[in-house]
Amino acid sequence: MKRRIALVTGGVGGIGTGISRRLAKENVFVIANYVIPGSEGPFVEAMRAAGFSDAQFAVMAGDVSDFKVAEEMVAQLIAQYGPVDILINCAGITRDASFRKMSLEQWRSVMSTNLDSVFNVTKQVIEGMVAQEWGRIISISSVNGVKGAFGQTNYAAAKAGILGFTKSLALEVAKKGVTVNAISPGFIDTPMTQAMPDAARSAVIAAIPIERMGVPADIANAVAYLASNEASYVTGTNLAVNGGVHLYQ
């Protein structure tokens, strides 16, 4: 069986790094996408420190919120490494504010990065997956896309949109050997949540039945399963990985 190639958008972030490491362990060649110049450095260092070589991963710059940039980036990737077998739509940002105080820029930036990017990149790889009759598209949504969150109308709307996208596209390509799924993380212990005030972190953890935040590996393990041959009968699903927070919905 040929070695799979995976593109992870937002792949140098906290969750993205965990996903990239896990897929690399599964003998998948991983291309981690990034947009902020210099953000790839710590990722590359961490991957090498974990024992991964340049034969196992690469990084590629590109603002996936821009359709043309995404198109050019994926074309370059395919020319250099080959067709994308596995796409992980992980790029995401937050610009929190109550709706009455939310600016148009805050709305648009979150929608373009978190939702438009899913269309922009998936559009570039879907035909290749259909042609080879094998593919995995896994998009990172959020528990807040299901239950909502104060101050996150933009973020929750984008993440909810991913769920509708996932179910609809899954129906379109189910007969083509391509599965389309989503994962909805809860609170994950990353630099973003580590920056929360101690009182806020404690309140969050108290609301989680498992009584801890998740770690990137919790999400990465779920991705590894959905990306595998063993998950060929799983499509159109949203896998909740949130320590039981969804039980309170």
Side-chain angles (χ1 to χ4, degrees):
M1 185 174 65
K2 82 178 188 74
R3 188 182 189 189
R4 304 295 187 192
I5 295 174
L7 169 60
V8 184
T9 71
V12 304
I15 293 177
T17 296
I19 293 171
S20 296
R21 287 184 181 181
R22 185 68 173 79
L23 291 177
K25 287 182 180 178
E26 297 297 321
N27 196 35
V28 173
F29 183 78
V30 177
I31 298 99
N33 156 258
Y34 69 97
V35 66
I36 301 173
S39 61
E40 79 281 13
F43 169 84
V44 172
E45 292 177 5
M47 289 292 283
R48 289 175 177 164
F52 298 107
S53 71
D54 292 349
Q56 295 171 286
F57 75 95
V59 292
M60 186 163 286
D63 181 358
V64 293
S65 71
D66 184 308
F67 184 87
K68 189 64 176 178
V69 172
E71 183 179 43
E72 293 172 351
M73 181 192 72
V74 175
Q76 177 187 342
L77 184 161
I78 292 173
Q80 188 169 352
Y81 301 108
V84 175
D85 303 295
I86 301 165
L87 170 62
I88 314 298
N89 289 306
C90 189
I93 61 171
T94 56
R95 297 290 185 270
D96 295 353
S98 65
F99 182 74
R100 294 169 64 192
K101 296 180 179 179
M102 185 174 292
S103 67
L104 180 59
E105 189 281 330
Q106 287 174 312
W107 175 268
R108 285 182 171 170
S109 61
V110 168
M111 294 300 288
S112 63
T113 299
N114 295 19
L115 183 57
D116 290 353
S117 66
V118 175
F119 171 86
N120 294 343
V121 183
T122 304
K123 189 70 172 176
Q124 314 310 321
V125 304
I126 190 68
E127 293 301 334
M129 291 180 178
V130 168
Q132 69 181 12
E133 298 186 334
W134 198 98
R136 299 286 186 266
I137 297 169
I138 303 164
S139 300
I140 306 302
S141 181
S142 169
V143 64
N144 289 346
V146 177
K147 70 180 186 63
F150 185 95
Q152 287 197 326
T153 53
N154 50 4
Y155 184 82
K159 293 301 188 179
I162 286 175
L163 301 180
F165 175 93
T166 294
K167 292 179 180 181
S168 299
L169 183 57
L171 288 171
E172 295 184 16
V173 297
K175 296 180 180 179
K176 306 297 184 179
V178 180
T179 65
V180 189
N181 292 289
I183 293 173
S184 288
F187 285 93
I188 305 300
D189 196 8
T190 64
M192 183 172 66
T193 55
Q194 290 164 9
M196 296 170 63
D198 290 342
R201 280 178 59 88
S202 297
V204 164
I205 293 171
I208 301 172
I210 289 183
E211 297 185 333
R212 70 167 176 87
M213 286 190 179
V215 295
D218 292 320
I219 308 304
N221 290 336
V223 167
Y225 167 67
L226 291 176
S228 69
N229 286 325
E230 286 77 9
S232 63
Y233 202 58
V234 181
T235 195
T237 65
N238 175 40
L239 181 56
V241 185
N242 56 36
V245 170
H246 64 293
L247 299 173
Y248 296 138
Q249 294 172 15

